[in-house]
Amino acid sequence: MGRDDAELMQRWQRGDAHAFEALVRRWQTPMARFFARLCGRDDVVPDLCQELFLRVYQAAPRYRENGSFAPWLYRIALNVARDAGRRQRSTLPLPGEEPACASLAADAQCETRESVEFVRRAVAELPEPLRLALILRHYQGLSFEEIARLTTTPASTLKSRFAAALEQLRRRLHTLE
């Protein structure tokens, strides 16, 4: 994607509206996943995506291809998420709010959903530096070098944060057993 994204940005800067549409189509799903994992709430994802692409639209004249499009986009997305977090702190549903299951097959589905929700909550409860390193590396597939450029944090620090995040999750999930 990398070079294609930079080319689309350049085309859009020259006035090709279809290039921006292509960027939005290409990045909408990965950014939605990023926001859902980072914030731990699906209900805010559409608004965050809209805010992200509005900021990208506004920032496009200032975009300069000096690396990769993805870190530039993730930096804007991170700022959008941080701004939203400042405006309103996340509220997670209480444990009793999950739907009741009617059959054994439904029970298995509920257990799976509960496990997924438990992992989601555990990730959401990580301190932001650990959560960010985990999400960008594990879920978004960025290299530590890309994350370092994005966050202006040394790659060695990010590796330590990633390891610490995994250890905290391991301990937290161990309590589930």
Side-chain angles (χ1 to χ4, degrees):
M1 270 198 244
R3 186 68 219 144
D4 294 339
D5 295 327
E7 182 182 317
L8 286 170
M9 278 299 289
Q10 290 169 357
R11 284 181 30 212
W12 182 49
Q13 287 173 325
R14 291 190 303 262
D16 181 355
H18 296 293
F20 182 71
E21 292 171 15
L23 280 170
V24 172
R25 279 193 307 274
R26 179 177 288 176
W27 283 96
Q28 190 165 3
T29 300
M31 290 293 100
R33 285 187 198 122
F34 173 70
F35 285 133
R37 290 178 179 126
L38 187 64
C39 299
R41 296 179 50 197
D42 288 333
D43 61 323
V44 298
V45 169
D47 291 337
L48 294 176
C49 284
Q50 183 175 8
E51 177 69 20
L52 167 65
F53 290 113
L54 175 63
R55 289 190 191 184
V56 168
Y57 186 89
Q58 294 169 337
R62 297 184 304 276
Y63 175 77
R64 300 289 176 259
E65 178 54 35
N66 58 359
S68 175
F69 175 80
W72 180 75
L73 184 64
Y74 277 107
R75 181 177 302 272
I76 295 172
L78 181 58
N79 289 336
V80 166
R82 285 179 176 160
D83 291 347
R86 283 186 207 106
R87 286 190 301 268
Q88 179 180 9
R89 292 289 166 209
S90 295
T91 56
L92 296 173
L94 298 174
E97 293 181 15
E98 289 87 14
C101 301
S103 69
L104 292 178
D107 284 345
Q109 283 183 326
C110 281
E111 285 182 26
T112 300
R113 275 193 302 246
E114 288 172 2
S115 296
V116 167
E117 184 59 28
F118 188 80
V119 171
R120 174 181 255 173
R121 286 182 189 182
V123 169
E125 291 171 2
L126 289 171
E128 184 183 332
L130 301 183
R131 186 173 68 242
L132 185 60
L134 176 78
I135 290 169
L136 290 173
R137 177 71 179 129
H138 179 72
Y139 292 108
Q140 301 304 123
L142 297 179
S143 70
F144 287 114
E145 291 73 25
E146 290 173 317
I147 301 169
R149 284 194 306 270
L150 167 69
T151 61
T152 63
T153 304
S156 59
T157 301
L158 293 166
K159 290 176 185 177
S160 297
R161 289 178 181 173
F162 182 73
L166 290 177
E167 178 58 26
Q168 284 188 24
L169 284 176
R170 185 190 63 73
R171 281 193 307 243
R172 175 75 188 218
L173 297 174
H174 183 65
T175 64
L176 180 64
E177 296 174 350

